[in-house]
Amino acid sequence: AIAGIGYIGYGVYQDRHPEDQIQPDPSKKTLVILGTGWGSVSLLKRLDTENYNVIVISPRNYFLFTPLLPSCTNGTIEHRSIMEPVRTILRQKKASVKFYEAEASSIDPDRKVVRIFDNSEIRGDITETEVPYDMLVIGVGAENATFGIPGVREHSCFLKEIGDAQKIRKRIMDCVETAAFKDQSPEEISRLLHMVVVGGGPTGVEFAGELQDFFEEDIKKLVPDISDRFRVTLIEALPNVLPMFSKQLIEYTESTFKEEKINIHTKTVVKKVTDKTVEAEVTRPDGTKESIVFPYGLLVWATGNAVRPVVKDLMGRIPAQADSRRGLAVNEYLVVQGTRDIWAVGDCAVAGYAPTAQVAGQEGTFLARLFNNMAKTEALEAKIGELSSSLNLQPGNSAAISREIEGYERQLRRIKDAKPFQYSHQGSLAYIGSEKAVADVTWFNGNVAAAGSLTFLFWRSAYLSMCFSTRNRLLVINDWLKSKAFGRDLSR
Ligand code: NAD
């Protein structure tokens, strides 16, 4: 029995650390991949790394499963359940891949180098260096848009990275405990327990739903004395929330929010933020404008994406990018316009699609196939060249060699026939609180709109199946069961 356990243990160990990896070879091209998000990691997952010397550079040494990030803000899911270390991903590749935990500060397309820096906490200094590339993939994502509105950067929480979710979780409990402190004035309690979300896209809507769940299912029961003051307000500049969903799902979301007592303020544009208030301008039905001030305890800013400085800097160096505003304009093969050896994927690329995880994932997969085929093409061309020269040397075998050449040429034509990138939309899903979700799904070439509790189960199973690894999947299931059975953890 012990031998059996030992064998299983060895098997698991072997699976985690497969055969010796092929080491870098100076005769191969250097492929540098920036980022460890949806685009870059989808590319890495399917890339035959033995064809290139691959270097991955990212300030984050893990992949983050962003669709479940709003569930980390209230502890439904613990943050490590949706993180996958990049080193684990890379160790499973056939050829070794170098990883540098660093941020790219600039890209020089003429010298073909990326300038990177590592802000080392342990040494307390910044190390800067350059990494040369033959081929470069930019998958650095985007940053939070603030539109230069005063006070936003200083006073709001964003919801993009794992640290943001942790900060929100602490902040919610800080607001609750401070409101429950001895002798607080009623106005102060109301302010502290007013949670304001700006931006009615899927990020803002999902977060508002999670927040209301946290309050209804946990805070209200454990801190009952202040519970009648807790309020969630969602502010959106447009006439409705979730503009990318169908009308019927928008109405369903808005009426569910009403039942959940989440206040929605549409046609309301935030103009200024201070440490305790949000100042906005609302357009009334008769077209008149009015100012409103919302005192808040927690402010979450979810108004979409802005271009990162490293991408802006590169766009400034390439004349063909002069007219692009929202990121790197790419052609149908995801090559950055105006370059030959730089590709871009995900939220930093402008390929005509919404900046979603689904698009980034498909772009990464497309590039992996493209790069694998490019390597195969080179190998086939070399073989054909070799056989063609032997044709003259071995006239007796010419028929067999010609047949072999024809075979390779057929393979080559098939590979070279690579179709351009085309996004296939599988649908949009969003959680809206109280175990309900909305889904616009593509089904047999048609669109199906669904909403409610069954859709919530569909939402959970879809996201579970999309998790990066079995390990992540088990951790997420465990978190769901744990928060259902014991309630969410209120410790700060
Ligand atoms: P978004 O761009 O989708 O929505 C931001 C919203 O903020 C807009 O509706 C805009 O009108 C509003 N806004 C902007 N400035 C404002 C202001 N000053 N005052 C009030 N409102 C203001 O942003 P997001 O929700 O972060 O999503 C970003 C991308 O990621 C989108 O493409 C989205 O589809 C995708 N995403 C998808 C899902 C999902 O499918 N479940 C989840 C999260 C994000």
Side-chain angles (χ1 to χ4, degrees), residues 11 44-45 72 94 105 112 132 142 218 220 224 248 327 348 453:
L44 275 167
K45 215 172 170 180
C72 288
K94 199 161 167 191
S105 53
K112 295 175 74 160
D218 305 278
K220 206 170 160 179
Q248 139 200 29
C348 63
S453 306

Side-chain angles (χ1 to χ4, degrees), residues 114-402:
V114 181
R115 194 153 187 83
I116 63 169
F117 69 96
D118 171 32
N119 198 344
S120 165
E121 261 174 51
I122 200 157
R123 276 203 312 260
D125 64 1
I126 294 177
T127 316
E128 264 196 287
T129 185
E130 282 184 348
V131 179
Y133 65 82
D134 296 307
M135 294 155 74
L136 174 68
V137 177
I138 307 175
V140 298
E143 59 177 33
N144 296 290
T146 63
F147 308 105
I149 298 170
V152 175
R153 282 227 179 270
E154 299 86 307
H155 305 298
S156 356
C157 297
F158 298 108
L159 189 47
K160 208 176 231 330
E161 300 292 342
I162 212 70
D164 299 332
Q166 288 171 303
K167 186 174 160 192
I168 293 174
R169 190 172 172 183
K170 277 192 170 172
R171 181 89 193 213
I172 299 169
M173 285 323 296
D174 194 6
C175 288
V176 171
E177 297 299 359
T178 311
F181 189 68
K182 191 168 176 290
D183 301 333
Q184 295 298 302
S185 70
E187 298 79 47
E188 186 63 353
I189 295 176
S190 291
R191 177 185 76 81
L192 286 165
L193 295 182
H194 189 201
M195 314 278 150
V196 174
V197 184
V198 182
T203 307
V205 165
E206 291 192 313
F207 171 67
E210 293 280 358
L211 195 53
Q212 190 65 21
D213 283 358
F214 190 25
F215 171 67
E216 280 298 329
E217 292 163 17
D218 305 278
I219 298 175
K220 206 170 160 179
K221 290 176 192 153
L222 296 168
V223 201
D225 37 330
I226 50 162
S227 67
D228 58 332
R229 303 292 178 80
F230 194 94
R231 278 176 308 145
V232 179
T233 296
L234 180 67
I235 301 177
E236 167 57 53
L238 298 175
N240 53 266
V241 297
L242 293 182
M244 66 290 292
F245 281 82
S246 54
K247 194 165 174 278
Q248 139 200 29
L249 295 182
I250 291 172
E251 280 165 10
Y252 182 84
T253 305
E254 293 185 346
S255 73
T256 306
F257 270 21
K258 212 170 262 165
E259 278 165 30
E260 290 170 1
K261 299 198 187 63
I262 297 173
N263 310 304
I264 303 185
H265 288 260
T266 50
K267 293 190 186 167
T268 307
V269 185
V270 173
K271 299 278 184 189
K272 189 181 166 191
V273 169
T274 70
D275 59 343
K276 294 188 177 107
T277 59
V278 169
E279 297 173 21
E281 189 180 75
V282 57
T283 309
R284 298 281 174 219
D286 62 3
T288 57
K289 292 192 190 309
E290 196 184 311
S291 297
I292 338 181
V293 176
F294 301 89
Y296 71 85
L298 168 77
L299 171 63
V300 172
W301 193 265
T303 62
N305 290 343
V307 182
R308 284 202 194 279
V310 61
V311 172
K312 218 179 274 172
D313 174 78
L314 177 63
M315 288 163 68
R317 293 170 191 243
I318 305 169
Q321 296 286 333
D323 294 333
S324 187
R325 289 281 161 273
R326 309 187 68 171
L328 290 160
V330 293
N331 73 9
E332 68 275 31
Y333 291 90
L334 307 181
V335 178
V336 172
Q337 302 277 15
T339 73
R340 300 191 51 176
D341 34 34
I342 307 180
W343 289 258
V345 288
D347 291 3
C348 63
V350 179
Y353 307 105
T356 67
Q358 223 179 116
V359 170
Q362 290 183 23
E363 288 176 343
T365 306
F366 170 84
L367 271 198
R369 208 168 40 235
L370 189 78
F371 291 166
N372 294 345
N373 283 347
M374 276 162 68
K376 274 188 211 145
T377 308
E378 277 174 29
L380 282 172
E381 277 171 352
K383 258 190 209 154
I384 291 170
E386 216 174 278
L387 285 172
S388 308
S389 47
S390 71
L391 206 56
N392 304 330
L393 300 175
Q394 306 170 7
N397 289 339
S398 66
I401 295 176
S402 302

Side-chain angles (χ1 to χ4, degrees), residues 205 242 245-257 259-260 428-441 447-460:
V205 165
L242 293 182
F245 281 82
S246 54
K247 194 165 174 278
Q248 139 200 29
L249 295 182
I250 291 172
E251 280 165 10
Y252 182 84
T253 305
E254 293 185 346
S255 73
T256 306
F257 270 21
E259 278 165 30
E260 290 170 1
S428 305
L429 280 169
Y431 180 61
I432 58 170
S434 59
E435 305 205 334
K436 286 179 183 151
V438 288
D440 258 329
V441 198
N447 274 336
V448 179
S453 306
L454 270 181
T455 312
F456 164 70
L457 293 179
F458 174 70
W459 172 84
R460 275 204 164 173

